[in-house]
Amino acid sequence: MQYAFQAQEAASQSASAVVRDPMISIRGLSKSYGGHKANDNISLDIFPNEVIALVGDNGAGKSTFIKMISGVIRPTSGSISIGGRKVDMTSPNDARANGIETLHQNLSLVDVFNVQENIFMGRELQRKILGMVPSLDHAEMRRRTVDLFKQLGLKTPDLNKAVRALSGGQRQAVGIARLLLENDLKLIIMDEPMAALGVEESRLVVELIMRLRERGYSVLIISHNLDHVFQVADRIAVMKNGRMIGAVERNKVEHDDVVSMIVGGRIPERLAS
Ligand SMILES: Nc1ncnc2c1ncn2[C@@H]1O[C@H](COP(=O)(O)OP(=O)(O)O)[C@@H](O)[C@H]1O
Ligand SMILES: [Mg+2]
C-alpha cells in the first residue's frame, strides 16, 4: 500500500512540481494606487520549462502584476527573487538584464520593415572591412534569422517581405524570434498573444509556446480564452480583486473549476489542502 501510494504521488507530480529551484520567486507583492490595492500580497513561483497562464476578470490585477515583473512599475511592497537573489527592477532594461522579456500586444514591430530588419532593429550586426567604414552585415543577419525560425520549428517566412504582409501568427513568431536574441533570456511574458488571431493562427502561437518550453524557457501568458489556456499551460494562476486565488495544475482541473475560481474567487474544495 505504501508503495502504491508513493507511486501515485510521484505520478501526480507534473514536470513543474519536480523539486527544483524556481526561476523566479514572487513574495507578497503589492501595488497600491491611492487607497486602492491593484495587487494585494501576491506570491507565485515560476519554474524553468513551465508555462503559467494568468487569468481573471477585467480589473483583477493581471496587468499590474506583469508590469511589476517586467520592470514597468515598482511594487509598493513585496519581493521578486531570481535565481535565489532578490532583485529591484526599476525599468524594462533591468528586467531584461535579469532574463525577463515581455512581448507586448503590438509586438513592437515596424510594419514597413522586413523580417530581419525587425529582428535586428536597434542591434544591427556590422561588418568591418579593413580601412573602410563599417557596413551592415546583411548576410549574417539573414543567416541568424533563418536559424531563429529553425529554433522555433517554423518555416522561415519570406525575409524580404514587410512584416505587415505576414499573417498574425507569423508576426508573433517575428516578435518572439527577436526576444530569443537576448543571451540570458529565461522568462517570456505574453499579454494576450492570441487575442486578435483566428483559429489556425492561434494554433501556431500555441505551438510556439510549446517550443519555447521545450527549449527551457518559462512563459507567463495572460489570456481570456480558456481553450487556449488549457492547451498551453502547465499551471493556471487565477486572480480576482487584486488577489491571487491560487495556481492550479492544468491536469487537475476542468474548465468549470477555473471559471468558478475566476467568478467565485475560491479554489475548488477538492484541490484546497
Ligand atoms: N495606473 C493606475 N492608476 C490607478 N488605478 C489603476 C492603475 N492601473 C490599474 N489600476 C486599477 O487596478 C486594478 C487592476 O487593474 P489591472 O491590473 O489593469 O487589471 P487586469 O489587467 O486584470 O484587467 C483595477 O481596478 C484598475 O482600475
Ligand atoms: Mg489588463
Side-chain angles (χ1 to χ4, degrees):
M1 276 319 279
Q2 181 74 16
Y3 277 112
F5 175 71
Q6 282 175 351
Q8 197 180 21
E9 196 173 48
S12 74
Q13 286 190 334
S14 76
S16 61
V18 170
V19 181
R20 58 192 164 147
D21 295 329
M23 181 261 130
I24 183 168
S25 208
I26 295 139
R27 289 292 174 273
L29 215 56
S30 295
K31 179 71 188 180
S32 298
Y33 290 108
H36 177 70
K37 285 190 169 170
N39 269 198
D40 185 4
N41 198 23
I42 307 278
S43 296
L44 183 70
D45 284 339
I46 304 177
F47 293 87
N49 291 84
E50 186 178 43
V51 179
I52 295 210
L54 186 60
V55 301
D57 263 340
N58 282 337
K62 306 179 296 294
S63 294
T64 302
F65 181 63
I66 64 163
K67 280 182 194 159
M68 289 193 281
I69 301 174
S70 51
V72 175
I73 57 176
R74 288 183 90 173
T76 308
S77 58
S79 69
I80 299 174
S81 303
I82 292 172
R85 205 170 40 86
K86 276 192 186 165
V87 293
D88 179 21
M89 299 189 290
T90 60
S91 72
N93 274 336
D94 280 351
R96 178 165 302 133
N98 283 297
I100 299 170
E101 285 283 349
T102 305
L103 188 68
H104 294 286
Q105 235 157 10
N106 66 11
L107 301 174
S108 316
L109 301 180
V110 177
D111 272 348
V112 294
F113 283 5
N114 69 26
V115 172
Q116 77 185 57
E117 284 166 345
N118 266 287
I119 289 179
F120 284 92
M121 191 169 41
R123 50 193 156 174
E124 290 81 1
L125 302 178
Q126 296 196 329
R127 189 168 53 126
K128 271 193 195 139
I129 300 171
L130 209 62
M132 282 177 52
V133 186
S135 62
L136 293 180
D137 192 345
H138 293 291
E140 179 62 12
M141 288 191 277
R142 195 179 175 87
R143 196 189 62 70
R144 291 207 198 170
T145 300
V146 170
D147 185 58
L148 286 170
F149 277 89
K150 217 177 270 169
Q151 285 184 42
L152 290 170
L154 297 176
K155 219 173 64 200
T156 312
D158 182 347
L159 298 184
N160 299 317
K161 263 193 191 168
V163 296
R164 73 161 166 245
L166 302 181
S167 71
Q170 284 175 321
R171 290 167 57 87
Q172 291 279 342
V174 174
I176 290 172
R178 204 179 133 68
L179 305 186
L180 296 188
L181 282 183
E182 294 296 332
N183 289 329
D184 296 321
L185 180 65
K186 297 187 193 80
L187 171 66
I188 300 163
I189 299 172
M190 302 169 113
D191 190 355
E192 292 273 355
M194 292 96 144
L197 302 182
V199 176
E200 274 302 308
E201 298 291 317
S202 295
R203 181 147 58 211
L204 189 111
V205 175
V206 166
E207 278 165 21
L208 273 175
I209 295 172
M210 306 285 198
R211 192 62 63 127
L212 292 172
R213 173 173 48 197
E214 274 168 29
R215 300 194 66 80
Y217 299 115
S218 312
V219 179
L220 177 62
I221 169 181
I222 294 185
S223 177
H224 279 108
N225 184 319
L226 284 190
D227 288 330
H228 294 150
V229 165
F230 272 80
Q231 282 168 37
V232 297
D234 296 301
R235 280 191 295 153
I236 303 169
V238 182
M239 292 186 69
K240 183 178 169 68
N241 296 339
R243 291 168 185 262
M244 182 65 77
I245 302 307
V248 291
E249 288 186 40
R250 187 246 340 242
N251 293 335
K252 293 188 177 164
V253 289
E254 304 291 335
H255 269 56
D256 287 353
D257 297 320
V258 177
V259 171
S260 73
M261 286 173 75
I262 293 170
V263 178
R266 289 220 323 261
I267 295 194
E269 231 154 75
R270 65 169 209 287
L271 297 175
S273 56

